[in-house]
Amino acid sequence: MNDAKTPMTREERLAARLRENLKRRKAQARAMGSASGSESESPDSPETGLSNSAA
């Protein structure tokens, strides 16, 4: 695709890094989802982000 003589432009480098980052984050999210599976359905999970003290 690219010759060794022609360097990638800044935009091309950024786009490639963004694609790699997205792939890595998706894989990480899949791994976290399969690992925690039933744990996330727990009613007393502290990860809900909601607080009952705000009335």
Side-chain angles (χ1 to χ4, degrees), residues 8-53:
M8 293 172 43
T9 65
R10 180 177 187 267
E11 290 80 14
E12 290 172 334
R13 288 193 312 269
L14 289 174
R17 295 286 300 264
L18 283 171
R19 283 191 300 271
E20 292 170 9
N21 189 23
L22 181 61
K23 287 179 186 178
R24 185 174 63 249
R25 289 176 61 96
K26 281 186 175 183
Q28 187 178 34
R30 273 188 243 114
M32 292 290 288
S34 66
S36 64
S38 62
E39 293 176 14
S40 65
E41 296 174 7
S42 172
D44 56 351
S45 177
E47 298 177 27
T48 59
L50 301 177
S51 173
N52 292 336
S53 63

